[in-house]
Amino acid sequence: MGAPRQHLFHPANAAGYRQAVGAAVDRLVDHLGSTTGRPLTGVTPREAATRVASVDLDRPLGGGADALDELSRLWLDDAIWFHEPTAAAHLNCPVVIPALAAEVFVSGVNASLDTFDQSAGATFIERHLVDWTAARIGYDAGADGIFTTGGTQSNLQALLLARDQTMNQQGAPADRLRILASADGHFSVQKAARMLGLGDAAVVPVPVDASRRMDPAALAAALADCAAAGDVPMAVVATAGTTDFGAIDPLPEVAALARAYGAWFHVDAAYGGGLLVSRRRRGWLDGIELSDSVAVDYHKTWFQPVSCSALLVRDGATLGHVTWHADYLNPKDSAHPNQVDKSLQTTRRFEALKLWMTLRVMGADAIGDLLDTVIDLTDAVAAELTAWPDIEVAAAPQISTIVFRYRPPGLDEPALARLNAAIRAELFDEGRALVAATRVDGRSHLKLTLLNPVATVADVLGVVEMVREAGRRIAGEPAAPSALRKPLAVAR
Ligand SMILES: *Cc1c(COP(=O)(O)O)cnc(C)c1O
């Protein structure tokens, strides 16, 4: 155990640091090798809670090895692994190694990005990445931005800027402000409206078309209704990649309507932002350069560890709405540049370094290629599924999700909902596959979110086959004759 100060990151303890971090990496590699096909063990919340609750935090173990053994028992033995092709539920991605190497420096050096005197060059690494992302969007030199904890925070900050811009320019009363977003938009827009004191009624859901994109005619009508009622549309939020369907709202049309009504135009590209580096599909984001702000989650389609995300703004001066000068930190007359002026946070982790190392080692094209690979995979899987009579796909895939359900003949909606929920629970409990659930126009569905570039078509069809088998078992049907089954060994 030794003296407490032996545990500090300090030159005197370099050997201890190397040993502890090396042992942690070795432990992780051991676990990595033991997952083999299962994304989880299906540990129950009760089991997990009981194990954790048994730990007396007032009695340290002393040795690092004992703590690692305990951690394995409490968590790692039953962790959820996102590198497994059968983990196909959420937008949490497998991660790239250069970013993991960067984490060593992020936590070891422990820079804080609020001020230059806590970060030095790190400030400029973050700024360079912000400028680079802004250029990819198509913004010009006046653009700026800030790394955030995720799309939720980026959307909140964007709407805060929109609100303050609108109130400054138009002097509109807060209870008249409206935010228009696709009915399939992310719930963080509603949460932002609450946090900004605008209330739930401030968010006007705009209907989507058959491909689940915001319908521009419906947006035009909603904006006209707003104006007729004396309300002020402070922001129009387009989603570039809805969480369920990957739908990208028609950005040029939405931009034109937002501009016509003087509304801030925010693009929530938390999911679709990775298309900025796609060599084959960058065109899907055409029109994003017409926005006032963009949310990009590098921790989704850029294969970065949580959290790594940014808000970009067309006019950097608008970030001034979150500036506060504190005498102790960032006084107005400070000679140093700082990032705290642009952020909702004060102390802030150097998450940008992960993206930096990724770009310096792999390059942007390589990240875009990984994303293109999972989009190709999704298309190939969806094409196969059209021949599966008992699998109903809700809409053609757009980025990398497939919304579907197991639908044997003769079941009504409540029975289908119960059946699909039971299938999902069984796959989880048995530790076989992670599949998500959602509702489409009130109807329960399952969802695959594909972000694993090493998964094959056969891997993913295997997950759907598990769904089908579990469904048959639960519904008490006889297994289909093998002639009706699609072969699984489809090469990609
Ligand atoms: C994931 C997501 C968010 C929220 O982002 P976090 O990083 O989870 O905070 C917002 N919008 C969309 C469209 C998303 O997919």
Side-chain angles (χ1 to χ4, degrees), residues 91 149-153 155 186 188 239 241-243 268 270-271 297 299-300 309:
L91 276 166
T149 54
T152 303
Q153 185 184 342
N155 287 343
H186 195 262
S188 53
T239 311
T242 56
T243 312
D268 177 359
Y271 179 10
D297 264 355
H299 62 219
K300 287 177 177 166
S309 193

Side-chain angles (χ1 to χ4, degrees), residues 246-284:
I248 299 171
D249 292 337
L251 303 177
E253 288 90 335
V254 176
L257 285 163
R259 179 161 311 151
Y261 282 83
W264 182 280
F265 176 34
H266 175 62
V267 177
D268 177 359
Y271 179 10
L275 294 166
L276 288 172
V277 288
S278 161
R279 285 189 280 186
R280 289 162 49 206
R281 300 183 172 97
R282 169 61 180 82
W284 290 7

Side-chain angles (χ1 to χ4, degrees), residues 66-87:
D66 289 344
L68 287 178
D69 289 345
E70 181 183 84
L71 187 66
S72 286
R73 282 196 310 279
L74 297 183
W75 179 43
L76 293 170
D77 287 348
D78 297 294
I80 313 259
W81 299 100
F82 298 94
H83 64 275
E84 287 289 350
T86 41

Side-chain angles (χ1 to χ4, degrees), residues 322-333:
V322 299
T323 304
W324 184 272
H325 294 288
D327 291 336
Y328 80 92
L329 194 65
N330 59 332
K332 232 178 184 148
D333 56 2

